[in-house]
Structures are given as C-alpha cells and as structure tokens.
Amino acid sequence: MPAGSTASGRTIRHLYFHIPFCPKLCPYCCFYVETGARNKNTDFIEALLADVRRAGEDYDLRPRTIYFGGGTPSALLEDQLAMLLGGLREILDCSELVEFSLEANPATVRPSKARLLREHGVSRVSLGVQSWDDALLKTLGRVHTAAAAEKTYETLREAGIPAVNLDLMFSVPGQTEAQWHATLEKTIALQSDHISTYCLTYEEDTEYFRKLTGGTFVQDIELDARLFEYTMERLGDAGFSQYEISNHARPGCESQHNKAYWLGSDYLGFGPSAFSTVGLKRWENIRNTAEYTSRVLGGKSAAEFREELTPAQRAGETAAFRIRMSEGIPLPELAPWKDEIERFVSIGLVEHVDQSVRLTTRGKLLADSVAEIFIA
Ligand SMILES: C[S@@+](CC[C@H](N)C(=O)[O-])C[C@H]1O[C@@H](n2cnc3c(N)ncnc32)[C@H](O)[C@@H]1O
Ligand code: SF4
C-alpha cells in the first residue's frame, strides 16, 4: 500500500521476526525462547502473518531487509517455513528487498530445509557455531558437535545460500587462548562471508550468571582483552573488515539489517518479545508465545510495553550503537556530548578521523564505558 494511504503515512524498510523455539535452553542465553514441541502447530505462523497484514494498514511495508532471529528460526518445520515465507511474499512488496537473513542452529538444518530457504529467497544465514571445540560446546550446553556444525555449513553452501555468517563466542569458562586461536583458524579456513565474535556476557537470570555469582565461574578481564585484541588482528590479516566491534565482514558482506539498527532506522518487530521503533515510539510485544498468538488472532495488539522517547534519548541511543561501528559518528552529531568526547580523545579512547569520531583500538576494549555517556 502506498505510504500516503496508510494510517501513519510512513514507509518501513526493516522487519524483524522473533521465532522463539529452541531445541534446548543454552545456559548463558537470555533471549525469550521456548523449548519442547511448540513449533509443531501452525497457529503461531498464522498469527505472524495476521500481525504483518495488520501492520500493513498502519504502515507502507516495503522492506529493504528482513531478519528472522530468535530463538532459532531454523527450528521451524519445513511446512511451517514454507507457509510463513510464502505468506510473507504474498503480503509484502519485496521489490526493494536486498537482504533476507535467518538465524540457524547447526542441529536444525537438513539439506531439504536449506534448499527450501534458498527457494524462498533467504539470502543470508547466520549459523550459531560458537566454537569448533567439542569440549567447549559441551560447556556451552550446545546440542551439536563441531563436525555437525561443519556439515551444516557445507549444506548451506551446497544449497546456494549466497552469504553465510558464523557466530563464535570467546571468554567461555575454561577456554584457553590456544583453543580460541584454533577456532578462528578453522573459521577463516571455511571462508565464510561474515564472522560475528561475541565475548560471553553473563546475563542475569541465566544458569551462567548464577555460576558466576556463586564462584563456580571466574571472569578474567585481562584474558578477555587479549582474546579480543588477537581477534581483531587475526581477522583483519585474513581480509575481514571489523565494521562493528563484534562483526567482521568480507568486502560488501556487512549485515545490512544490523547496520540499519545501528544507524537508527525505523523497524517493526513481529513475534513474542520483539521490539519495534518508529520515530519516537517504541514498543515490545508480550513475552509469551501462546498469548501473542491468541491476542493477534483475536484481533488485538500484541504490544505489552510502550514508551515515547524524547528526541535526545533517541539520538543518544543511536550514538551508543553507532560509536561501535568503524565508520564512527560525524562530528556535528556529537555536539551534545562535545566535552565528554574531547575528554575521551585526551585519554586515547576515541580519535578524530576526517570529520568523524571513532573508537581507537584501546577504546574498542572499553566501548561500553564510552557508550555510557550517550545514555541519559
Ligand atoms: C539468538 S542467537 C541465534 C542463533 C541460534 N539460536 C543458536 O544459538 O545457534 C545469536 C547469537 O548470540 C550469541 N549469544 C547468545 N547469548 C550470548 C551471551 N550470553 N553472550 C555472548 N553471546 C551470546 C551466540 O553467538 C548466538 O549464536
Ligand atoms: S543461544 Fe540460541 S539455541 Fe541457545 S537458547 Fe539462545 S537462542 Fe536458543
């Protein structure tokens, strides 16, 4: 529908879908997920499609990027995926779509599913490998081995998925520097298009957090810093550009969807726990799959929490994400934080490059402290 004939008169270019099903809950994970056999019914798929149709009355939905995250979107059954992806193509104007991403757990992708994803236009799969070391995969509570992850990577390539990202985690309890170096080497050898390297975060209300506060796990900040510095150097030498602190891409393979978030574009989220941000409006859907489904199918809104941001808050949030990007932030946009930025320049955490400001290598290690100044 043209923007002018929708209730808001706005065009939305970025859509996120939260698929909450996982084979098993990983002990470090804080995303809204459900385990068990709930992915077997189609009500949830119908609800997602109905939610998109309803959003189409309020907004002109002409996505440049679509992102299926979770949870584990690849845990959906093939029939469900076909119904969902086929249904979206019927509802949405996809003529300007440049990227269609989907997150996958290695235990959940067979060749027929990979082919189905490709046939339905998925252009980028993000595979949760985490480590190529079986002992560490066990520590992480993963349901797959390293060999299974490699096989899934090959399956995705054979199906012709144009871009594959591999997710890795470092600073995992018990992980040595040698283990992390070996995981990076193996990943480089596989020649993926993109590599995400996440430092393990101890999220509240997880088993890992309880083990940290209970003293079973101990954090070693100096080791974390060494692993992070090595990652930047090694992936840079291997031809990847670190376009964001945790994200490394071959030329032209950056995630367009994530870049849109970091640059502060509007987006709509569908599914339980998904956030949407349009202008100064932000809302989050209810964190319960059954409730999300029955509300949407009953014609009601799934939003559980809403807030109206001030222009300063929205600008601050965007700056906090954007400072993590290698392109930095144009100087005029940093006017509200001029004094703090000059202080960070004087202690070597940020630097001026042309007309922008970006983190130095040391600043990348302390990015959270720098980003704090933007959040009121
Ligand atoms: C939502 S998960 C999607 C992938 C899929 N569910 C899987 O785990 O294979 C996205 C990625 O976030 C990362 N991640 C999840 N929890 C994390 C944590 N507590 N600390 C650091 N990275 C985390 C993992 O690398 C994971 O692959
Ligand atoms: S890390 Fe991935 S597979 Fe594990 S519980 Fe979280 S979303 Fe599910």
Side-chain angles (χ1 to χ4, degrees):
M1 212 186 279
S5 43
T6 61
S8 71
R10 281 178 182 264
T11 299
I12 301 291
R13 300 291 189 183
H14 308 283
L15 305 181
Y16 172 78
F17 290 83
H18 189 83
I19 310 295
F21 311 114
C22 287
K24 179 174 168 259
L25 179 65
C26 301
Y28 52 83
C29 180
C30 72
F31 294 105
Y32 170 67
V33 302
E34 286 190 20
T35 54
R38 296 199 85 131
N39 63 340
K40 295 238 163 21
N41 71 52
T42 54
D43 290 1
F44 176 61
I45 308 293
E46 276 162 20
L48 285 175
L49 293 172
D51 209 3
V52 175
R53 259 187 232 103
R54 216 174 72 129
E57 293 165 12
D58 292 341
Y59 304 102
D60 167 31
L61 304 180
R62 247 182 304 149
R64 290 191 72 246
T65 68
I66 297 178
Y67 194 101
F68 272 56
T72 306
S74 60
L76 289 176
L77 306 176
E78 289 180 33
D79 284 355
Q80 295 174 315
L81 280 167
M83 181 178 164
L84 180 53
L85 304 187
L88 286 179
R89 290 270 169 187
E90 281 172 21
I91 302 169
L92 297 169
D93 173 354
C94 289
S95 58
E96 293 168 46
L97 190 65
V98 294
E99 184 184 276
F100 188 163
S101 297
L102 181 136
E103 288 179 352
N105 177 307
T108 57
V109 186
R110 289 212 308 245
S112 54
K113 198 180 273 184
R115 283 195 298 274
L116 183 141
L117 295 177
R118 183 64 204 122
E119 280 157 18
H120 282 83
V122 171
S123 64
R124 182 174 185 273
V125 170
S126 183
L127 190 64
V129 170
Q130 322 309 351
S131 172
W132 294 109
D133 187 292
D134 280 337
L136 286 176
L137 288 173
K138 212 165 177 191
T139 304
L140 287 166
R142 301 292 292 179
V143 290
H144 56 87
T145 59
E150 185 168 357
K151 192 151 185 279
T152 305
Y153 176 75
E154 281 160 11
T155 299
L156 292 168
R157 288 303 198 196
E158 277 157 21
I161 301 290
V164 180
N165 167 55
L166 301 178
D167 277 344
L168 303 176
M169 285 168 72
F170 64 95
S171 299
V172 174
Q175 183 183 40
T176 64
E177 284 181 85
Q179 277 171 319
W180 176 241
H181 296 179
T183 274
L184 285 179
E185 291 313 314
K186 170 85 186 168
T187 309
I188 292 166
L190 287 174
Q191 300 191 319
S192 64
D193 309 275
H194 189 287
I195 305 176
S196 297
T197 51
Y198 298 115
C199 181
L200 175 78
T201 310
Y202 289 89
E203 305 281 1
E204 269 184 53
D205 285 331
T206 62
E207 190 184 320
Y208 263 39
F209 185 77
R210 288 186 286 280
K211 285 193 170 160
L212 180 71
T213 48
T216 312
F217 290 159
V218 182
Q219 266 180 309
D220 181 343
I221 295 168
E222 281 174 18
L223 174 64
D224 293 356
R226 282 202 302 279
L227 297 175
F228 179 64
E229 280 180 315
Y230 181 85
T231 305
M232 292 194 278
E233 250 176 62
R234 183 66 192 100
L235 293 183
D237 288 348
F240 287 86
S241 136
Q242 185 189 23
Y243 67 108
E244 195 267 352
I245 284 190
S246 305
N247 287 284
H248 312 258
R250 293 199 181 283
C253 297
E254 294 89 359
S255 161
Q256 297 304 315
H257 186 84
N258 287 337
K259 271 179 80 174
Y261 280 152
W262 302 327
L263 293 171
S265 303
D266 289 344
Y267 58 90
L268 287 182
F270 301 93
S273 81
F275 278 93
S276 300
T277 306
V278 179
L280 297 175
K281 293 191 192 312
R282 156 90 36 82
W283 64 97
E284 184 190 10
N285 287 344
I286 187 158
R287 294 170 71 90
N288 180 310
T289 307
E291 187 66 19
Y292 169 84
T293 304
S294 76
R295 278 199 197 181
V296 175
L297 292 180
K300 296 195 204 111
S301 165
E304 182 72 350
F305 162 81
R306 291 181 188 273
E307 66 179 331
E308 181 89 16
L309 304 168
T310 64
Q313 267 177 321
R314 178 87 155 108
E317 276 185 15
T318 303
F321 281 118
R322 217 169 162 185
I323 197 68
R324 296 169 57 90
M325 297 176 73
S326 60
E327 64 190 49
I329 305 180
L331 208 46
E333 292 177 38
L334 289 169
W337 305 280
K338 194 169 171 289
D339 293 345
E340 291 96 324
I341 291 293
E342 286 319 314
R343 189 168 58 80
F344 283 137
V345 170
S346 71
I347 57 174
L349 295 186
V350 303
E351 62 188 356
H352 291 278
V353 178
D354 300 326
Q355 289 308 303
S356 291
V357 166
R358 68 175 188 197
L359 294 171
T360 58
T361 303
R362 213 176 128 236
K364 287 180 186 171
L365 288 164
L366 298 167
D368 288 347
S369 312
V370 175
E372 256 174 33
I373 62 164
F374 301 122
I375 306 295

